[in-house]
């Protein structure tokens, strides 16, 4: 059980990350690559990503075990609610003090016999010695892995995080930070003044007036993640809600059904997110008609739908946004 103690000052300083964090997504995706669960969401991604990897996985085994602790320095913290992009994250990783690298790698290797250490264990041992060359090799490996397993899916990762942000933002507007914390995924429970979460070990985290950054993650699964070092900026990484099918599925034959002014108006009205009731009011159609149009758009891969309390919230996917822009590609940050 993870227990995060939230004071009144901390509650006023709860904030949402502005976008997915490239470093967290890269490291957590490596967990998903070796996890056979969640095949509906991650199965196609695993198959495609493995064909593009070229030995990176063997080296990453040394610093990212299949479960449990991995070094905090692999996921550097950004400033405020702005996560680091990949390049900035790699530079921050490169600037990690040697004594911190040794300490955190030491928590991984411990006194385990050499024969029981994971593939690529020599890299971990070299990092523990504090040399700069192994850290550069780790950075090159992480970058190559990101290019193969994360970058091709980044627009869909971002769309999933933006959909989650839309839900949390609406909760914040409706009921403040209390409501925001109360609407986090079910493995996280707000029992003021403590935020509890399912966690592999017992852990107490006191924010001490620093606030809390909420970081939704596409590749986080099952339980949230926090830094092991309590002195680091408090971040709670938690899983987004996935639809029943992979977010990056190719457009199906439903796209041909998107003909006519009404459905185009529905797509434009969804914009940055709206409920079915709001969609009906914006487009001047009945509630049943708005629901039906949203369903067709969702089947076509143009809209994502997440439940928010007793209602549902619709947001655009990258394909839906591109269609409104005339097919212009999404930029990957």
């Amino acid at each position: 059980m993870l227990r995060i103690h939230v004071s009144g000052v901390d509650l006023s300083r709860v904030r949402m990350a502005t976008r997915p964090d490239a470093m967290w997504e890269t490291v957590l995706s490596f967990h998903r690559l070796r996890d056979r669960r969640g095949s509906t969401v991650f199965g196609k991604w695993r198959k495609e990503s493995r064909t593009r990897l070229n030995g990176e996985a063997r080296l990453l085994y040394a610093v990212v075990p299949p479960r449990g602790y991995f070094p905090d320095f692999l996921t550097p913290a950004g400033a405020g609610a702005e996560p680091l992009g990949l390049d900035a994250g790699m530079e921050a990783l490169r600037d990690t003090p040697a004594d911190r690298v040794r300490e955190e790698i030491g928590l991984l290797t411990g006194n385990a016999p050499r024969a029981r250490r994971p593939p690529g264990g020599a890299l971990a041992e070299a990092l523990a010695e504090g040399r700069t060359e192994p850290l550069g090799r780790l950075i090159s490996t992480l970058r190559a892995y990101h290019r193969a397993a994360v970058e091709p899916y980044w627009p869909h990762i971002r769309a999933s995080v933006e959909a989650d942000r839309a839900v949390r933002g609406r909760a914040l507007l409706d009921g403040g930070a209390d409501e925001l914390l109360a609407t986090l995924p079910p493995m996280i429970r707000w029992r003021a003044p403590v935020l509890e979460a399912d966690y592999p070990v017992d852990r107490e985290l006191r924010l001490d007036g620093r606030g809390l950054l909420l970081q939704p993650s596409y590749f986080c699964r099952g339980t949230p993640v926090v830094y092991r070092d309590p002195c680091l900026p408090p971040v709670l990484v938690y899983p987004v809600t996935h639809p029943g099918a992979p977010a990056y599925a190719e457009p199906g034959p439903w796209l041909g059904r998107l003909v006519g002014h009404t459905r185009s108006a529905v797509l434009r009205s969804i914009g940055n997110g709206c409920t079915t009731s709001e969609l009906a009011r914006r487009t001047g159609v009945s509630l049943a008609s708005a629901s039906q149009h949203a369903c067709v758009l969702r089947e076509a891969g143009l809209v994502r739908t997440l439940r928010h309390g007793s209602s549902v919230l619709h947001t655009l996917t990258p394909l839906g946004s591109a269609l409104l822009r005339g097919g212009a590609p999404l930029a990957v940050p």
Side-chain angles (χ1 to χ4, degrees):
M1 175 77 72
L2 170 66
R3 292 167 55 86
I4 302 176
H5 299 267
V6 185
S7 69
V9 173
D10 293 314
L11 195 60
S12 69
R13 295 177 178 174
V14 171
R15 57 208 186 279
M16 286 292 305
T18 58
R19 60 181 181 175
D21 186 295
M23 301 300 287
W24 278 108
E25 296 297 349
T26 299
V27 173
L28 291 175
S29 73
F30 192 54
H31 281 293
R32 301 289 77 78
L33 189 72
R34 295 167 290 173
D35 187 354
R36 297 181 180 179
R37 297 170 295 176
S39 58
T40 300
V41 175
F42 300 114
K44 183 172 183 283
W45 166 79
R46 289 189 190 108
K47 182 178 179 181
E48 293 177 352
S49 296
R50 284 169 177 159
T51 64
R52 289 190 289 265
L53 292 174
N54 186 27
E56 294 87 357
R58 181 176 178 83
L59 288 175
L60 291 182
Y61 266 108
V63 293
V64 185
R67 60 184 63 84
Y69 170 78
F70 57 84
D72 290 336
F73 70 78
L74 293 176
T75 52
E82 186 69 19
L84 295 175
L86 182 67
D87 290 338
M90 294 297 179
E91 286 306 309
L93 199 162
R94 191 184 303 278
D95 292 339
T96 306
D99 56 350
R100 181 182 170 192
V101 173
R102 283 195 299 268
E103 179 182 353
E104 295 187 6
I105 291 294
L107 293 172
L108 271 182
T109 57
N111 296 317
R114 184 182 298 269
R116 295 183 183 178
R117 293 180 185 178
L123 175 61
E125 293 172 1
L127 286 168
E129 294 173 2
R131 303 200 306 269
T132 57
E133 183 275 331
L135 188 59
R137 187 181 180 196
L138 172 61
I139 291 170
S140 297
T141 301
L142 279 169
R143 190 180 290 276
Y145 173 82
H146 176 92
R147 190 180 304 118
V150 179
E151 185 177 282
Y153 309 97
W154 191 257
H156 309 288
I157 294 168
R158 187 171 66 180
S160 297
V161 169
E162 288 178 350
D164 186 274
R165 276 174 43 83
V167 172
R168 309 307 162 206
R170 184 171 292 266
L172 182 64
L173 290 173
D174 290 346
D178 269 297
E179 181 69 13
L180 168 60
L181 295 178
T183 62
L184 291 173
M187 79 285 295
I188 305 171
R189 299 166 291 279
W190 174 231
R191 295 170 178 165
V194 177
L195 189 64
E196 296 181 349
D198 297 338
Y199 210 65
V201 297
D202 287 334
R203 177 83 187 277
E204 303 282 336
L205 177 59
R206 300 187 182 277
L207 301 181
D208 295 329
R210 296 173 294 169
L212 180 67
L213 175 64
L214 300 175
Q215 177 68 65
S217 167
Y218 184 85
F219 285 108
C220 185
R221 183 186 185 277
T223 61
V225 186
V226 296
Y227 287 127
R228 185 185 188 279
D229 185 350
C231 296
L232 291 172
V235 179
L236 181 68
V237 182
Y238 66 88
V240 300
T241 300
H242 291 284
Y248 41 84
E250 294 296 325
W254 306 279
L255 196 58
R257 297 164 64 183
L258 298 177
V259 178
H261 296 295
T262 301
R263 202 156 286 159
S264 297
V266 167
L267 193 63
R268 288 195 302 272
S269 297
I270 288 175
N272 291 325
C274 67
T275 65
T276 305
S277 298
E278 290 168 339
L279 182 59
R281 288 196 299 270
R282 292 177 185 180
T283 55
V285 300
S286 68
L287 190 64
S289 180
S291 178
Q292 192 270 337
H293 284 304
C295 179
V296 172
L297 293 169
R298 184 170 60 252
E299 291 175 339
L302 302 175
V303 167
R304 294 173 65 85
T305 300
L306 295 176
R307 181 158 297 279
H308 173 60
S310 59
S311 60
V312 294
L313 183 68
H314 308 290
T315 59
L316 297 180
T317 66
L319 181 61
S321 297
L323 184 62
L324 289 181
R325 294 193 309 275
L330 254 80
V332 177

